[in-house]
Amino acid sequence: MEILKIVIYLVVGFFLLVKGADWFVDGASGIAHKMHIPSLIIGLTVVAMGTSLPELSVSVTAALSGQNSLAISNVVGSNIFNLVVILGICAVFAPVAVSREVLKRDYPFSIFCSVLLAVLGVVCIYGKGWRIDRVDGLILLFFFVLYMAMMLREAIRARKGALSTEESDYVDVMDYEVEENIKKDEDKPLWVSILLVIVGTAAVKFGGDFTVEGAVAGARMLGVSETLIGLTIVACGTSLPELVTSIVATKKQELEMAVGNVVGSNIFNILMILGVGAIISPMTFIGENLIDILVMTAFSLIIWVFGWTKEKITRLEGISMLVMYGVYLTYICIR
């Protein structure tokens, strides 16, 4: 009976997380189009944050309930899953193009975030009593605000540059791709969009509650650590929005979008989610967390090299990434 209860909690939790994030993004996009907010800015902010709402909900809920080791392992596990599994699956579908702009600016920043988290972890282990405290949270949030400000400035500048020339291919492509979706958003009544945001936020919140409770109960029943549960079941479940978004983008030949979704979500996960979680309640940092962060950094560097070789991730490289994740999964299960 206990097993059935745990399964129900996890299934309901994951369903609410995924659907809640979907409703939130739809509602926020509808409001933004009604208020004539540029769609490019919507994509960089609302959509990126929307796909990471499950991780935010689970980590904040875990911090509030005192299950802080789950909050850290969930973020690290989700980032590893995003990098290796999602990009690997997308590359198996079709070689994933990686723009030089991403390779020079966004991807190095995501690696910097991993290194920053590792440094904060080392400081916590040797000088702060094994805890990511509120000061660390403020440091993470500072870099998040800095990155978002840089992204918004670049987005506005790119949009102005594109709109300055009516014959611009970029404008034509953007209009062609988003015209139908924008029309749907504009036809949608404002109250419907607001309702979607409210319902989506509530669904994500309760989905996080169910997922954390089910995962912790499962960990106790199986006699395994919450860190392992966070790195596997919870991490994979909360990465479903990124997985679906990237696979759909790949099928529509929006291959750079697949990479951008993963990289942006990973940056958001480390800086925003752990930053907010640490401010709410200082989070326990254990030695296994540091090992997983170093693994995440190593995977990031390997995939960065894959991207630089031919400015794309090939099918063979995608398969090798999935194999790497299998090896890592075996390691965390037996350690």
Side-chain angles (χ1 to χ4, degrees), residues 28-331:
S29 297
I31 293 173
H33 286 308
K34 277 288 185 181
M35 299 177 65
H36 304 291
I37 298 174
S39 59
L40 186 57
I41 294 179
I42 296 171
L44 286 170
T45 55
V46 176
V47 175
M49 293 181 184
T51 55
S52 289
L53 275 178
E55 288 93 339
L56 178 61
S57 177
V58 168
S59 295
V60 169
T61 302
L64 289 171
S65 63
Q67 307 294 341
N68 295 326
S69 61
L70 183 61
I72 296 176
S73 59
N74 172 54
V75 164
V76 176
S78 294
N79 279 16
I80 292 174
F81 187 88
N82 289 349
L83 276 172
V84 185
V85 177
I86 294 179
L87 284 183
I89 291 175
C90 290
V92 170
F93 275 110
V96 178
V98 187
S99 69
R100 282 195 171 271
E101 188 176 17
V102 170
L103 290 170
K104 289 182 178 179
R105 183 190 64 198
D106 304 287
Y107 205 101
F109 190 81
S110 72
I111 296 175
F112 163 77
C113 293
S114 299
V115 174
L116 174 63
L117 185 58
V119 171
L120 292 178
V122 171
V123 173
C124 290
I125 291 174
Y126 293 101
K128 291 188 177 182
W130 302 79
R131 296 203 310 172
I132 296 284
D133 59 21
R134 291 182 173 87
V135 173
D136 299 319
L138 289 173
I139 292 173
L140 293 172
L141 286 178
F142 168 77
F143 283 106
F144 174 73
V145 172
L146 188 66
Y147 178 75
M148 288 304 295
M150 180 177 67
M151 288 296 96
L152 289 175
R153 185 187 64 182
E154 290 295 324
I156 293 172
R157 184 169 64 182
R159 185 176 180 82
K160 287 181 178 178
L163 294 176
S164 63
T165 306
E166 293 183 359
E167 299 297 325
S168 172
D169 292 337
Y170 174 83
V171 174
D172 292 340
V173 171
M174 285 294 294
D175 288 345
Y176 176 78
E177 291 173 348
V178 304
E179 181 180 0
E180 185 176 350
N181 290 333
I182 290 177
K183 186 178 185 300
K184 289 180 180 178
D185 286 333
E186 289 177 344
D187 291 340
K188 186 187 303 176
L190 183 60
W191 69 268
V192 173
S193 297
I194 294 174
L195 182 62
L196 282 174
V197 169
I198 295 173
V199 173
T201 302
V204 168
K205 192 273 178 189
F206 287 110
D209 291 342
F210 281 123
T211 303
V212 170
E213 189 167 345
V216 172
R220 290 172 178 170
M221 187 184 70
L222 296 174
V224 298
S225 69
E226 292 171 11
T227 299
L228 177 59
I229 296 295
L231 284 168
T232 54
I233 299 174
V234 180
C236 296
T238 55
S239 291
L240 285 176
E242 288 90 344
L243 177 61
V244 173
T245 300
S246 294
I247 289 177
V248 170
T250 302
K251 286 185 174 180
K252 292 183 176 181
Q253 296 302 308
E254 295 289 349
L255 302 179
E256 289 187 3
M257 184 184 296
V259 178
N261 174 49
V262 168
V263 175
S265 293
N266 282 9
I267 292 172
F268 183 86
N269 287 349
I270 293 176
L271 299 183
M272 178 63 177
I273 293 175
L274 289 185
V276 170
I279 289 175
I280 292 174
S281 175
M283 298 181 293
T284 301
F285 192 97
I286 61 178
E288 289 178 351
N289 290 145
L290 182 59
I291 294 174
D292 295 323
I293 292 169
L294 294 177
V295 170
M296 175 178 66
T297 305
F299 282 161
S300 298
L301 290 170
I302 292 172
I303 296 171
W304 193 28
V305 172
F306 285 169
W308 269 112
T309 51
K310 298 179 180 178
E311 292 188 19
K312 65 180 179 181
I313 301 174
T314 65
R315 285 188 175 89
L316 182 59
E317 290 168 340
I319 293 172
S320 68
M321 289 158 62
L322 295 177
V323 172
M324 287 191 298
Y325 186 76
V327 173
Y328 169 71
L329 198 60
T330 302
Y331 159 70

